[in-house]
Amino acid sequence: MADEIKTTQEEQAESRNFIHAFIEEDIAPGGQYEGMTVHTRFPPEPNGYLHIGHCKALTIDFGTAEKYGGLCNLRMDDTNPTKEDEEFVEAIKEDIHWLGFDWGDRFFYGSDYFEEDYRQAVGLIKKGLAYVCQLTPEEFKEYRGSIGVPAKSPYRDRPIEESLDLFERMRNGEFPDGAMTLRAKIDLASGNFNLRDPVIYRINHLPHHRHGTKWCIYPMYDFAHPIQDALEGITHSLCSLEFENHRPLYNWVVEHGDLPSRPRQIEFARLGIDHTVLSKRKLRKLVEEGKVSGWDDPRMPTLCGLRRRGYTPRSIRNFCERIGVAKSANVVEYSFLEHCLREDLNETAQRVMAVIRPIKLTITNYPEGQRETVTVENNPMDPAAGTREVTFSRTLWIEADDFLPEPVPKYKRLYPGGPECRLKGAYLITCTGCVQDESGNVTEVLATYDPESRGGDPADGRKVKGATIHWVDAATAVDAEVRLYDNLFSDPDPDAADKDFLSCLNSSSLEILTGCKVEAGLVDAVFPASFQFLRQGYFCLDSKDSSPEHLVFNRSVSLKDSFKK
Ligand code: ATP
Ligand code: MG
């Protein structure tokens, strides 16, 4: 790592990985899983694309298995018949592979256990631990009780035979949606409402994306999940904190079902990031309402969006490792994610010169028609990256803001009568004036160069007082479109419950610049190569819209680090 100073996040990561502590206890001599292989699973619901919050979960799931030489299953949580889609299944697999994790041949669908879920439910009824309840949804609400007031159901003590018969007929499609449910018989007076005889099956006459109309009853997540875990031999079922209150129910199913193993559920805090939303429902809304160009819009916190933006797998994995695994809610600064990317690209990205808001510079004492090449380094952080040749001539493009007709205090760049400046890798120049149009706009900057300063250093060792600026030879420069991104939301907390997240959008989150001038060599660039545009930031080709005829670059992250350690 380039940076030896530990961030607060990293210190927390080291001291707070309580999951590892629990696992080590479990596999130690005398522990409940002594001698067993640590086995985790990542269970995404295929109803949207993975986002950075999922990355935290899957880094924990796959990373924990890796750490203990164990296994991690990928399981599509598709027990709910609504909304699931094969498109998302493939995208989820692609995203996980891209991050560098692999599930081998352990890919499953939660819905493949429907038959077994049903068998488990029948087993519970037979043990007197589940019953068919015919409360209407309205009655159900009315009878759920409150703190200190138990829930009630007149069907609780119906004979086992009657529940068995009704449950089978539910399966056979004899009843409409909502007519009855199967409930676990646990404790109507429990202080934990999840244990107040929770519904474990409901009727839903919706076809399932993989099983068609075979089923019209579907198991609830809290019932299906522990069964799936136990059938797959999962030892540690790691999930986010909202399931903490469901753990007693998870354990109840594991204890009372007829299951081959006893997995343990451990919860960790969900990841929140400022200036963005991390909920598939909200992300979908942004797409549907056209607020972004799609799930892979480079401003989206989705993995496909981050990838298109130029994020590397290494930067995201580093981020997930460094934010740590805490039990208390953690909102991380978006600037920390950017910091992790910058750190990675600083080591690996090739440096190039690109002028994004160009103005012409003419070197009046450089012979017309003359051309030469100068050598510039590809990456000062990595000498092995070598050097490249760029052409130089009398007419160059420079950034418009590297020139001012009248200097402001402390301005060290080009202005008439100003200090000598260095053209990166080429020559020293002194500004002599400019050309303006009738309305006073500067159309061309004029300068003279010191022919003895080739490479950028004066022959007599005099001090160069002005700045080093980047440039591109106008004769060989290639046009490009450059897209500059800012936070998608101007409000730091658009996800807050009391806010309409759509009204928190940042109206200037995308700025498109055309007619930018880049080094000719960039025509050969291929996604996902990243470049540092000197003095500007890190950029990558847009994987969708860029072509050699029309180059489009996305700014992945600026050079300025706003993350405070
Ligand atoms: P969303 O609200 O975005 O739909 P979800 O929890 O319903 O989230 P799933 O596809 O069910 O999405 O999530 C798969 C796994 O990822 C779950 O184990 C879930 O706990 C975890 N996960 C989802 N969002 C986050 C987050 N922000 N931080 C950490 N883990 C998360
Ligand atoms: Mg979910």
Side-chain angles (χ1 to χ4, degrees):
M1 218 167 281
D3 199 342
E4 288 302 320
I5 305 162
K6 284 211 176 97
T7 63
T8 332
Q9 265 93 349
E10 280 172 293
E11 280 163 17
Q12 284 173 357
E14 279 171 21
S15 64
R16 287 219 233 136
N17 201 331
F18 66 97
I19 294 181
H20 294 165
F22 281 160
I23 291 179
E24 280 160 27
E25 218 172 82
D26 287 343
I27 56 177
Q32 62 171 328
Y33 303 129
E34 182 185 351
M36 286 170 64
T37 300
V38 171
H39 202 152
T40 60
R41 87 287 169 266
F42 175 63
E45 194 178 344
N47 62 350
Y49 290 80
L50 296 183
H51 54 62
I52 184 81
H54 293 114
C55 283
K56 170 174 178 179
L58 72 92
T59 303
I60 292 174
D61 295 328
F62 284 95
T64 300
E66 238 166 47
K67 179 175 164 80
Y68 294 101
L71 301 167
C72 181
N73 294 2
L74 174 60
R75 184 198 308 145
M76 295 296 141
D77 165 22
D78 65 345
T79 48
N80 184 344
T82 51
K83 295 182 301 217
E84 272 104 8
D85 198 322
E86 279 301 321
E87 172 199 345
F88 296 128
V89 173
E90 288 315 309
I92 288 170
K93 286 178 164 178
E94 186 188 336
D95 283 346
I96 298 174
H97 272 154
W98 177 72
L99 273 179
F101 293 116
D102 190 42
W103 51 89
D105 56 359
R106 290 174 308 282
F107 174 72
F108 304 99
Y109 284 96
S111 65
D112 284 351
Y113 306 111
F114 278 160
E115 200 63 57
E116 184 60 24
D117 295 332
Y118 183 80
R119 195 182 75 81
Q120 295 291 334
V122 169
L124 290 178
I125 301 173
K126 286 184 178 159
K127 288 188 198 166
L129 291 175
Y131 59 96
V132 171
C133 179
Q134 281 165 270
L135 290 179
T136 62
E138 297 71 38
E139 288 169 331
F140 199 97
K141 241 183 232 150
E142 196 183 326
Y143 293 162
R144 72 189 280 271
S146 53
I147 299 164
V149 181
K152 50 188 184 183
S153 167
Y155 305 98
R156 192 169 208 254
D157 294 316
R158 81 184 335 156
I160 288 176
E161 285 311 318
E162 206 173 288
S163 280
L164 281 175
D165 174 59
L166 286 170
F167 189 49
E168 189 178 340
R169 289 165 62 195
M170 277 168 66
R171 174 182 184 160
N172 293 339
E174 288 186 32
F175 310 112
D177 291 1
M180 49 189 79
T181 57
L182 183 71
R183 296 176 71 173
K185 198 171 183 175
I186 306 179
D187 180 5
L188 286 176
S190 177
N192 182 340
F193 279 50
N194 295 311
L195 293 180
R196 290 190 169 192
D197 288 11
V199 170
I200 56 175
Y201 259 95
R202 70 206 154 97
I203 303 174
N204 192 344
H205 288 268
L206 255 190
H208 187 275
H209 77 128
R210 300 191 70 241
H211 301 275
T213 52
K214 176 161 187 220
W215 295 90
C216 62
I217 56 170
Y218 292 97
M220 302 302 285
Y221 183 86
D222 282 343
F223 177 63
H225 202 76
I227 295 175
Q228 296 159 2
D229 284 345
L231 293 175
E232 290 176 12
I234 301 302
T235 53
H236 296 91
S237 184
L238 313 174
C239 63
S240 41
L241 209 54
E242 69 271 23
F243 293 103
E244 192 175 32
N245 284 331
H246 299 241
R247 182 168 10 110
L249 177 51
Y250 183 98
N251 290 341
W252 186 90
V253 175
V254 168
E255 186 180 335
H256 297 283
D258 170 27
L259 295 165
S261 75
R262 296 174 69 90
R264 172 181 185 180
Q265 173 179 309
I266 303 172
E267 311 87 15
F268 54 84
R270 274 177 102 83
L271 168 67
I273 298 188
D274 66 2
H275 293 286
T276 193
V277 293
L278 291 183
S279 132
K280 277 179 280 186
R281 185 181 60 78
K282 291 180 181 171
L283 295 173
R284 174 178 302 114
K285 193 136 186 146
L286 291 172
V287 175
E288 283 170 359
E289 305 227 335
K291 304 293 184 196
V292 293
S293 63
W295 286 94
D296 65 351
D297 185 297
R299 291 165 293 178
M300 291 281 269
T302 50
L303 271 185
C304 50
L306 292 168
R307 178 162 62 231
R308 187 168 165 198
R309 177 78 170 261
Y311 273 79
T312 58
R314 188 165 89 131
S315 63
I316 294 178
R317 285 181 66 160
N318 272 343
F319 171 78
C320 289
E321 270 152 36
R322 293 164 71 180
I323 55 172
V325 183
K327 185 100 189 173
S328 53
N330 69 338
V331 175
V332 176
E333 288 166 67
Y334 195 86
S335 61
F336 184 59
L337 181 61
E338 295 188 320
H339 173 79
C340 292
L341 177 63
R342 200 178 279 117
E343 202 176 73
D344 186 15
L345 296 181
N346 181 40
E347 289 177 24
T348 56
Q350 185 187 324
R351 273 57 172 171
V352 294
M353 293 199 277
V355 174
I356 67 172
R357 293 181 179 90
I359 190 166
K360 192 176 279 180
L361 168 73
T362 303
I363 300 172
T364 50
N365 61 337
Y366 191 90
E368 259 179 88
Q370 183 167 313
R371 166 90 42 86
E372 63 187 295
T373 59
V374 297
T375 306
V376 280
E377 59 195 348
N378 283 331
N379 185 351
M381 302 294 292
D382 176 14
T387 58
R388 69 187 183 288
E389 304 282 300
V390 292
T391 65
F392 183 90
S393 66
R394 180 182 160 93
T395 310
L396 310 172
W397 294 110
I398 59 167
E399 294 294 340
D401 68 0
D402 281 337
F403 170 79
L404 282 182
E406 302 277 345
V408 292
K410 298 205 178 129
Y411 190 76
K412 293 242 170 52
R413 292 171 268 166
L414 300 172
Y415 59 90
E420 202 172 25
C421 289
R422 178 184 284 115
L423 288 175
K424 174 75 185 173
Y427 288 100
L428 297 175
I429 57 167
T430 307
C431 180
T432 54
C434 68
V435 179
Q436 284 165 302
D437 64 15
E438 309 86 73
S439 357
N441 300 314
V442 178
T443 54
E444 189 179 342
V445 177
L446 305 172
T448 53
Y449 86 120
D450 169 8
E452 303 302 311
S453 63
R454 190 178 146 89
D457 288 311
D460 61 3
R462 70 184 178 274
K463 198 167 177 312
V464 180
K465 298 213 182 76
T468 297
I469 65 177
H470 62 277
W471 53 275
V472 190
D473 180 9
T476 55
V478 173
D479 272 14
E481 176 179 325
V482 169
R483 298 175 181 172
L484 303 178
Y485 301 100
D486 195 357
N487 289 331
L488 187 50
F489 294 92
S490 46
D491 189 306
D493 187 15
D495 228 351
D498 60 341
K499 284 183 195 157
D500 166 21
F501 75 104
L502 289 177
S503 68
C504 301
L505 283 162
N506 174 7
S507 56
S508 43
S509 59
L510 169 62
E511 186 184 353
I512 298 178
L513 302 176
T514 54
C516 307
K517 309 290 180 183
V518 303
E519 280 182 28
L522 282 172
V523 175
D524 301 322
V526 241
F527 184 82
S530 282
F531 300 94
Q532 184 194 99
F533 287 4
L534 285 187
R535 301 169 68 217
Q536 306 283 0
Y538 295 97
F539 293 75
C540 72
L541 280 185
D542 187 81
S543 56
K544 267 197 171 160
D545 300 336
S546 188
S547 65
E549 297 73 43
H550 179 78
L551 293 175
V552 180
F553 287 95
N554 292 324
R555 183 172 68 193
S556 313
V557 66
S558 66
L559 284 181
K560 200 170 134 263
D561 199 335
S562 58
F563 179 71
K564 288 171 214 69
K565 292 194 179 115

